[in-house]
Amino acid sequence: GNGKAVLGEIPGLFFLMVSLLALINLEKTQFREWRGYVFVGLTAGLCAVTKPFFLLFLGALGITLLIKWRSISLNWSGVAAGIVALLVPVVVWVFLQFGNDTSLSHILSDYANPYSVDLATQVLENTKRLVTETTPLYTLLLIVVWSVSLLIRKKKDISSAEIAGYVFSILAILSYLRLEGWYRYLFPATTIALVFFPAALQNIYTYVSTRLTQLTQLSWLPLAVILALSLGQFYESTVTSYVAQSYTSTRTRDVAQAFSVIDPNKTLYFYNTPELIIFSPSKNYYQYLSPLPKVIIGEDSLSSLKSGVVDMVFVHSDVFEQNSSLFESYKLSETIDRYILLQRK
């Protein structure tokens, strides 16, 4: 929209990383310090309620506990305090997010298949993406390197935080398989894997170099790989990425200028352009929004659009071309960046 929106994955990843750091500190106390449990629980709860996707992190923590069960000695009063701390944001989230008319079964079914797609077909398509598209393949390669490192080390020097991060990344990839193939669903797994990638790569190099002594002369190789990846990512972010296209954009300025001359008494209609509403000079507007094919908001307002009741309409230029019959009561007034402003005939 205007500026770059912060995806829910960003705050979710922030709380996840803080929770992993808290878990590292708790493990350093031999799982005795009750405050450590509280901090892990609170940050894990905040992570989980940021976006339904991050409920997977609670599952990752549970699986980590099962894996580490025999090798750690839990402070049960600390565990109880941690659970209470975790439930605080969860209870607040449930209270704010769901109404009395929403059943648990409906919530679970919506989370299981939020886009109402054929799951078998979707899983097959996304599985192909893992080996045919660069971003999923990149994520898969990071996970493979991490997995090899874990196998080499077995249970030696593997922290609870690393296990939790690894399990979460695997669950995230599995979750991605059932969703629309947008890369933002892979982004958390990619990011967590990147955090552990340098150490994983170094572990593999050390293991192999003890068997192939020729590699001992190439101790700089892991660093070179990481540097190459960093430089490649820097180039992609600054030159060829989708975000890079916005660095010199004047969209916000142009849109703000167009709205500055609109009469507040005019009735406006925002057709699938919710990002423009913040520029509206008044609350005298209608809105139609369809973020997904089966999710429609404001459908009842279409009658006002078709009958020509509203004075001005804002719509994406490509949407206007595809649905020109819907706007027969209006004429083209102005093109503003990627938007078209229509006025009543």
Side-chain angles (χ1 to χ4, degrees), residues 171-206:
L171 293 177
I173 292 175
L174 293 176
S175 177
Y176 162 80
L177 295 180
R178 83 191 204 289
L179 300 169
E180 294 282 349
W182 295 316
Y183 294 156
R184 73 167 183 263
Y185 295 124
L186 270 181
F187 174 60
T190 309
T191 304
I192 298 299
L194 278 170
V195 170
F196 291 94
F197 176 74
L201 188 63
Q202 183 63 53
N203 288 328
I204 294 174
Y205 173 80
T206 301

Side-chain angles (χ1 to χ4, degrees), residues 76-93:
W76 291 106
S77 61
V79 171
I83 292 175
V84 171
L86 185 149
L87 288 176
V88 169
V90 171
V91 170
V92 172
W93 169 61

Side-chain angles (χ1 to χ4, degrees), residues 39-247:
F39 201 40
V40 171
L42 180 62
T43 52
L46 289 169
C47 172
V49 303
T50 302
K51 198 170 185 178
F53 181 88
F54 287 100
L55 290 170
L56 296 173
F57 184 54
L58 299 185
L61 288 177
I63 294 173
T64 301
L65 179 60
L66 291 176
I67 293 173
K68 285 280 192 175
W69 183 262
R70 294 183 179 180
S71 60
I72 60 178
S73 178
L74 296 174
N75 177 348
W76 291 106
S77 61
V79 171
I83 292 175
V84 171
L86 185 149
L87 288 176
V88 169
V90 171
V91 170
V92 172
W93 169 61
V94 171
F95 177 77
L96 295 175
Q97 185 79 9
F98 305 109
N100 295 327
D101 58 340
T102 305
S103 65
L104 180 61
S105 60
H106 175 77
I107 294 170
L108 294 177
S109 64
D110 184 54
Y111 285 172
N113 190 4
Y115 298 109
S116 301
V117 298
D118 180 77
L119 287 178
T121 302
Q122 192 67 57
V123 168
L124 181 60
E125 289 179 358
N126 286 339
T127 300
K128 291 179 181 177
R129 286 191 172 99
L130 288 177
V131 294
T132 59
E133 298 180 8
T134 54
T135 297
L137 181 59
Y138 180 58
T139 303
L140 184 61
L141 291 175
L142 290 173
I143 294 296
V144 168
V145 170
W146 194 3
S147 300
V148 172
S149 172
L150 290 172
L151 288 173
I152 289 173
R153 294 153 61 197
K154 297 182 180 178
K155 293 185 178 181
K156 297 182 295 182
D157 302 322
I158 300 177
S159 68
S160 298
E162 183 171 4
I163 294 174
Y166 179 78
V167 173
F168 170 78
S169 298
I170 296 298
L171 293 177
I173 292 175
L174 293 176
S175 177
Y176 162 80
L177 295 180
R178 83 191 204 289
L179 300 169
E180 294 282 349
W182 295 316
Y183 294 156
R184 73 167 183 263
Y185 295 124
L186 270 181
F187 174 60
T190 309
T191 304
I192 298 299
L194 278 170
V195 170
F196 291 94
F197 176 74
L201 188 63
Q202 183 63 53
N203 288 328
I204 294 174
Y205 173 80
T206 301
Y207 178 83
V208 175
S209 62
T210 58
R211 287 155 178 77
L212 297 175
T213 55
Q214 299 91 331
L215 289 178
T216 58
Q217 305 300 318
L218 304 174
S219 58
W220 49 266
L221 191 58
L223 180 61
V225 172
I226 295 168
L227 182 61
L229 288 176
S230 300
L231 291 175
Q233 183 62 63
F234 179 78
Y235 175 80
E236 197 272 342
S237 297
T238 56
V239 178
T240 64
S241 69
Y242 169 72
V243 175
Q245 300 172 18
S246 301
Y247 293 157

